[in-house]
């Protein structure tokens, strides 16, 4: 697969065809799938690109697909599209690191911009850090932060102030080359 492939996963054939045509005309290679299960069955770890997935499909949903991809070595970024968007679904999608959440019908330019953002991150993915670069305290802070605890909760668990947690978090992100919380989570997942 080409590095800029857009994998379209939607149970509606007309949506798949329209997106494939639109993106092909813009120069993106595309591959289409009617079900998330079909895509996951053939997905290989060396594939690169971005997944555009409908949130509501028979069988595995777009969110289920996102969860599966988070565990897959390919680490393909995901853009969720939906005809029935709601705040809870959007929150879940972003919590799973969605690049964007677009409601149908959406502006073609918004989709293309989201695809470009996703592909740009592929070019500058952070490398896994060397094992010995973090102090013991930084490793403790990192583990708790990645588990979803806020600075105050981390501080309470470790017996330090929230400000000290913020300092440790800032240092560990700098040492690891993580530019965002999402980068940090990816790095931790690669180390596990």
């Amino acid at each position: 697969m080409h590095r800029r492939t857009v994998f379209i996963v939607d149970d509606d054939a007309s949506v798949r065809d329209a997106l494939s045509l639109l993106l092909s005309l813009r120069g993106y290679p595309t591959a289409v799938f009617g079900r998330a299960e079909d895509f996951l069955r053939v997905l290989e770890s060396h594939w690169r690109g971005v997944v555009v997935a409908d949130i509501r499909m028979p069988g595995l949903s777009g969110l289920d697909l996102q969860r599966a991809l988070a565990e897959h070595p390919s680490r393909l970024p995901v853009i969720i599209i939906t005809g029935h968007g709601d705040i809870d679904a959007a929150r879940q999608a972003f919590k799973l690191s969605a690049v964007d959440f677009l409601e149908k019908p959406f502006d073609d330019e918004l989709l293309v911009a989201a695809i470009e953002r996703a592909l740009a991150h592929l070019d500058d993915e952070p490398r896994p850090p060397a094992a010995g670069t973090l102090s013991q305290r930084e490793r403790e802070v990192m583990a708790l932060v990645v588990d979803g605890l806020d600075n105050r909760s981390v501080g309470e668990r470790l017996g330090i102030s929230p400000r000290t947690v913020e300092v440790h978090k800032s240092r560990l992100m700098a040492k690891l080359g993580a530019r965002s919380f999402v980068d940090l989570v990816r790095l931790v997942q690669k180390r596990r």
Side-chain angles (χ1 to χ4, degrees), residues 14-186:
S14 63
V15 171
R16 289 193 309 268
D17 292 345
L19 288 177
S20 182
L21 178 61
L22 165 74
L23 296 172
S24 295
L25 291 172
R26 301 277 182 122
Y28 298 100
T30 62
V32 298
F33 300 87
R35 296 169 27 103
E37 294 89 342
D38 296 339
F39 174 66
L40 291 171
R41 191 171 14 263
V42 300
L43 176 61
E44 296 187 25
S45 60
H46 66 274
W47 288 5
R48 293 295 176 260
V50 59
V51 175
V52 176
D54 189 16
I55 199 165
R56 293 191 179 164
M57 295 181 283
L60 293 178
S61 70
L63 293 176
D64 295 331
L65 176 58
Q66 260 191 291
R67 286 184 194 95
L69 288 172
E71 301 299 318
H72 196 276
S74 67
R75 300 284 186 214
L76 292 169
V78 178
I79 297 167
I80 294 290
I81 58 175
T82 182
H84 310 284
D86 62 62
I87 293 171
D88 185 53
R91 186 173 62 246
Q92 288 180 53
F94 285 120
K95 191 173 182 181
L96 292 167
S97 302
V99 174
D100 212 334
F101 186 93
L102 302 172
E103 286 189 77
K104 300 174 190 173
F106 47 79
D107 182 276
D108 296 347
E109 296 306 316
L110 290 177
L111 176 63
V112 170
I115 289 169
E116 281 301 314
R117 281 195 312 277
L119 294 174
H121 287 298
L122 292 178
D123 294 333
D124 57 18
E125 281 181 344
R127 291 181 201 93
T133 59
L134 300 179
S135 70
Q136 178 62 33
R137 179 61 84 186
E138 288 166 343
R139 284 193 295 271
E140 293 168 346
V141 168
M142 179 175 66
L144 294 172
V145 167
V146 168
D147 282 344
L149 275 67
D150 61 28
N151 290 349
R152 194 173 91 188
S153 300
V154 171
E156 288 172 1
R157 288 235 182 135
L158 298 177
I160 58 179
S161 74
R163 177 67 187 128
T164 303
V165 170
E166 188 60 40
V167 169
H168 284 303
K169 192 163 66 171
S170 174
R171 285 183 184 157
L172 74 91
M173 288 182 71
K175 285 181 180 181
L176 298 176
R179 293 178 303 278
S180 68
F181 180 72
V182 172
D183 282 350
L184 180 62
V185 171
R186 276 194 194 114

